[in-house]
Amino acid sequence: MARTAEEVKTLANEYFNRKEYDRAIELYTEAIELDATIATYYGNRSIAYLKKEFYGYALTDASKAIDLDKNYIKGYYRRAAAQMALNRFKQAVRDLETVVKYRPNDTDAKNKYNECLKIVKRLAFERAIAVDEVKKSVSESIDLESMSISDDYDGPQLTDGKVTKEFMIELMDYFRDRQKLHRKYAYKMILDVRQLFAKDDTLVDIQISSDQKFTVCGDIHGQFYDLLNIFKLNGLPNEDNPYLFNGDFVDRGSFSLECILTLIGFKLLYPKHFFMSRGNHESQTMNQMYGFEGEVKAKYTSQMYELFAEVFNLLPLAHCINSKVLVMHGGLFNSDTITLDQIRTTDRNRQPPDEGIMCDILWSDPMPAKGRAPSKRGVGVQFGPDVTDNFCKLNQLDYIIRSHEVKPDGYEEAHSGKCITVFSAPNYCDTMGNKGAFITMKGSDLRPKFTTYEEVPHPNVKPMAYANSLFSFM
């Protein structure tokens, strides 16, 4: 006997409550196909899309729900969440205003409305006082000499101002025990790595010898204890064990500072054998929402966060291994004519724009169908196997590696093996149940080998602990 739309929706809710969002989305879609007139079905699928970070789809569904029922208050709430995730705070204010109007006693809605309104006013003020002159770098205002180290500090210490192998081993142990590196050493590391990244190209060429192993890791997202597990499984970075971390080092997880300081420490120690690409979360908008800014301010200072923002602007956007494998965080482009040389000449020292090469590199996703489609995230583009094939032929590449998306097994081979996703944060946000993975390859054939692993225990600090309170319902 065929199921009714309401029965399918009820089943979808069960999967949603079990945090099986992909299956929930499939079932909400089935319910909509059976009866496309019910606002709740679109509203429920909207929040499932929010959980998957498909903000473009979430926005469309919430709007559809409102079109079907102007009094469906959850639709306004969910559309506001999607608008905020897309940095559209003015539109979010309007939706939250509607929620408050219909629910005047909803304290949470009122608080979110007031907080969102503050952001809109602050952004308007910042635009009003903006001037064309070049802003002075935060790095120029930092006085390391004035930062004294008290006698009771028992943590890792730089040797003549330099990172050593011994320092890194001690630092990771110190962080594992939830201790805080002295701010003088933290500032020194960030300032030094800023100079290193400033010398890099937007697209960095990497050469590995035929018998050398090379490792590519995907998103880490502040999951420090899982980062330590990668090094346990695959060995610490060194000249004979080079690594590339492919963006999204921070946000979501609540040990982002420990992650980024560990990664930049290895970059300083092995500058020619340790590489880092920018992800879409290495940006001020995302950091303000998803926790990194709040974490740095809580553990150190707002000045340190501003310095990190400068470093993130200087991170390379892509790496090319032996001229045959291109690695970037998001994906390919809204044009068939983009070449590696165009990526090389892209100005990256900025906050990510809403379109163009830099935007697509950080935000785009592959899809099974041919051609291109609007992004499920609301930013970037979705690209099909023909797009990948054309790009690889144009640029004489074997395949591309990207990250940016949770995958059940931690990785996925798509587009006939020419588009590989690797995601290295297992049980993402303590809710997704996915494995993590990393890729190893030898220079002789560049054939990808996948290593998967489960999450490891971490201290009882929940993901998003430092995130803006506006995003507690996402």
Side-chain angles (χ1 to χ4, degrees), residues 33-302:
E33 288 169 351
L34 290 168
D35 187 346
T37 67
I38 307 299
T40 306
Y41 300 169
Y42 289 96
N44 288 7
R45 191 171 68 175
S46 177
I47 196 168
Y49 280 139
L50 284 171
K51 294 294 185 182
K52 290 286 292 180
E53 302 181 20
F54 297 167
Y55 303 124
Y57 286 0
L59 180 64
T60 300
D61 268 3
S63 295
K64 179 65 176 176
I66 293 166
D67 288 342
L68 288 168
D69 182 356
K70 299 294 183 189
N71 297 316
Y72 181 61
I73 303 305
K74 287 182 179 178
Y76 295 98
Y77 224 142
R78 285 157 193 176
R79 189 165 69 180
Q83 299 283 24
M84 287 186 290
L86 294 168
N87 201 27
R88 300 170 186 170
F89 292 100
K90 272 188 180 179
Q91 294 92 324
V93 162
R94 288 198 290 269
D95 283 330
L96 290 171
E97 192 173 31
T98 301
V99 176
V100 172
K101 178 182 175 182
Y102 283 95
R103 293 182 179 174
N105 297 322
D106 188 333
T107 305
D108 184 61
K110 194 172 291 185
N111 289 339
K112 284 181 167 60
Y113 168 73
N114 290 331
E115 186 66 26
C116 198
L117 193 60
K118 283 181 190 174
I119 293 174
V120 170
K121 290 178 178 178
R122 175 176 57 79
L123 292 172
F125 176 74
E126 289 172 356
R127 284 193 296 270
I129 64 171
V131 291
D132 291 333
E133 63 189 55
V134 177
K135 183 181 177 183
K136 185 178 179 182
S137 169
V138 177
S139 61
E140 297 173 29
S141 63
I142 295 169
D143 182 9
L144 287 175
E145 297 305 316
S146 67
M147 299 180 191
S148 59
I149 300 173
S150 60
D151 293 337
D152 61 352
Y153 174 70
D154 62 353
Q157 301 188 42
L158 298 175
T159 302
D160 296 325
K162 301 293 184 185
V163 170
T164 62
K165 180 180 178 182
E166 292 71 25
F167 171 86
M168 288 306 302
I169 292 171
E170 188 177 352
L171 179 69
M172 288 185 288
D173 288 339
Y174 204 60
F175 283 161
R176 183 187 285 111
D177 294 336
R178 300 192 62 191
Q179 302 296 311
K180 191 170 79 170
L181 179 67
H182 194 281
R183 67 188 182 107
K184 182 171 187 174
Y185 298 134
Y187 270 113
K188 181 68 165 63
M189 291 170 67
I190 303 166
L191 287 167
D192 286 353
V193 88
R194 183 185 183 280
Q195 290 184 319
L196 263 186
F197 286 131
K199 297 173 184 175
D200 271 334
D201 294 325
T202 297
L203 190 162
V204 175
D205 289 292
I206 299 172
Q207 292 296 319
I208 54 176
S209 60
S210 60
D211 59 344
Q212 185 177 40
K213 182 183 83 169
F214 189 83
T215 302
V216 180
C217 297
D219 303 40
I220 298 298
H221 274 302
Q223 296 185 198
F224 176 69
Y225 295 84
D226 294 307
L227 173 62
L228 294 183
N229 189 44
I230 291 172
F231 294 147
K232 179 181 178 181
L233 294 170
N234 196 53
L236 288 176
N238 57 50
E239 291 95 337
D240 298 318
N241 194 25
Y243 278 82
L244 165 58
F245 280 82
N246 195 29
D248 282 12
F249 323 116
V250 301
D251 280 341
R252 296 286 190 178
S254 296
F255 302 95
S256 292
L257 192 55
E258 289 80 1
C259 285
I260 191 65
L261 286 173
T262 298
L263 294 174
I264 67 174
F266 279 119
K267 178 65 181 175
L268 290 168
L269 184 57
Y270 305 113
K272 296 182 179 179
H273 300 87
F274 193 90
F275 305 92
M276 297 167 67
S277 289
R278 190 175 190 171
N280 63 303
H281 277 266
E282 277 69 59
S283 70
Q284 288 176 286
T285 300
M286 303 302 279
N287 296 161
Q288 288 164 3
M289 294 192 292
Y290 295 109
F292 184 59
E293 180 180 3
E295 182 179 343
V296 178
K297 288 180 177 179
K299 295 178 179 178
Y300 288 96
T301 64
S302 58

Side-chain angles (χ1 to χ4, degrees), residues 329-346:
H329 181 74
L332 297 181
F333 310 95
N334 200 15
S335 166
D336 282 325
T337 62
I338 303 300
T339 64
L340 299 187
D341 283 339
Q342 284 176 278
I343 299 174
R344 294 181 209 282
T345 57
T346 297

Side-chain angles (χ1 to χ4, degrees), residues 366-418:
M367 65 179 185
K370 287 186 176 183
R372 292 180 174 85
S375 171
K376 57 194 174 188
R377 301 175 189 268
V379 189
V381 67
Q382 291 189 86
F383 59 96
D386 53 328
V387 175
T388 300
D389 195 49
N390 291 338
F391 179 80
C392 288
K393 285 178 180 175
L394 178 64
N395 291 285
Q396 298 180 303
L397 298 169
D398 290 346
Y399 62 94
I400 65 171
I401 297 175
R402 42 89 63 182
S403 301
H404 195 40
E405 281 187 286
V406 180
K407 297 296 178 184
D409 293 322
Y411 73 95
E412 181 182 76
E413 295 180 276
H415 298 179
S416 302
K418 290 188 177 181

